[in-house]
Amino acid sequence: MAKGKILIITYNHVEDVELLYPYFRLIEEGYEVHVASKSKGFIKGKHGYEIKVDITFDEVNPEEYVGLIIPGGRAPEYIRTYPELERIVRYFFETNKPVAAICHGPLVLTAFGLLKGRKATCYVAVKPDLIACGANYVDAEIVVDGNLVTSRAWPDLPAFMKEFIKLLKK
């Protein structure tokens, strides 16, 4: 019996390791993990890995999930323009459920105005976007602000997942 379901939202050109590491780490912890994207089938990571999509953004009922992960790569740049994501992402903030965004992942959060006044980190190229949306940017391996966990890039994944799992267990 799974501890709960985790949602990963992504698209083509995701940073493969930032999706796969959390995916398998959460399965090890006993969670059921679903990958959501614009359409079913497979997406292709920036390093060529094909990842199966379990559910489309339109099909997601966020109430079924105990946590949300937004991996980086170029995918967040593309999906942040999808209006159907706003209801999903906002739900996690409104209900204070754990959200983890790494690398370019915070771009999705900036698109919906969810980082204003929040401490966060990201890939250095995304720093201007965080600051422009009113986030308090911190250059650190891991930044935890309430229900939000952010990290800069794939080398930070062990700390990223450690903190996200801590939030899930609260």
Side-chain angles (χ1 to χ4, degrees), residues 80-120:
R80 68 182 170 163
T81 63
Y82 297 155
E84 62 269 31
L85 274 184
E86 185 168 6
R87 72 172 174 83
I88 297 168
V89 177
R90 272 194 189 285
Y91 172 82
F92 286 91
F93 279 82
E94 290 167 358
T95 58
N96 206 37
K97 288 185 177 181
V99 175
I102 188 167
C103 189
H104 286 68
L107 284 173
V108 173
L109 306 176
T110 65
F112 305 126
L114 297 168
L115 292 182
K116 186 171 183 159
R118 302 290 299 261
K119 286 189 300 182

Side-chain angles (χ1 to χ4, degrees), residues 2-134:
K3 293 180 179 180
K5 293 196 273 186
I6 305 294
L7 183 66
I8 298 176
I9 56 173
T10 193
Y11 191 57
N12 289 317
H13 304 287
V14 63
E15 174 57 59
D16 310 63
V17 72
E18 292 173 1
L19 187 154
L20 295 171
Y21 184 104
Y23 180 88
F24 289 113
R25 184 68 190 89
L26 289 162
I27 289 172
E28 286 175 348
E29 285 291 322
Y31 293 92
E32 182 179 337
V33 184
H34 292 169
V35 175
S37 195
K38 185 175 177 168
S39 57
K40 285 189 178 171
F42 289 86
I43 56 170
K44 190 174 265 192
K46 72 182 237 183
H47 301 289
Y49 287 94
E50 287 194 348
I51 298 135
K52 185 180 181 293
V53 174
D54 302 300
I55 189 169
T56 67
F57 297 143
D58 286 334
E59 295 171 327
V60 170
N61 175 1
E63 295 174 15
E64 295 179 9
Y65 297 91
V66 298
L68 173 68
I69 293 183
I70 310 169
R74 298 297 300 270
E77 186 179 331
Y78 306 136
I79 66 173
R80 68 182 170 163
T81 63
Y82 297 155
E84 62 269 31
L85 274 184
E86 185 168 6
R87 72 172 174 83
I88 297 168
V89 177
R90 272 194 189 285
Y91 172 82
F92 286 91
F93 279 82
E94 290 167 358
T95 58
N96 206 37
K97 288 185 177 181
V99 175
I102 188 167
C103 189
H104 286 68
L107 284 173
V108 173
L109 306 176
T110 65
F112 305 126
L114 297 168
L115 292 182
K116 186 171 183 159
R118 302 290 299 261
K119 286 189 300 182
T121 195
C122 58
Y123 188 69
V124 69
V126 179
K127 175 182 174 182
D129 298 88
L130 260 65
I131 293 169
C133 83

Side-chain angles (χ1 to χ4, degrees), residues 133-151:
C133 83
N136 298 316
Y137 174 79
V138 180
D139 181 13
E141 174 184 53
I142 186 80
V143 175
V144 179
D145 183 358
N147 69 319
L148 178 64
V149 175
T150 54
S151 283

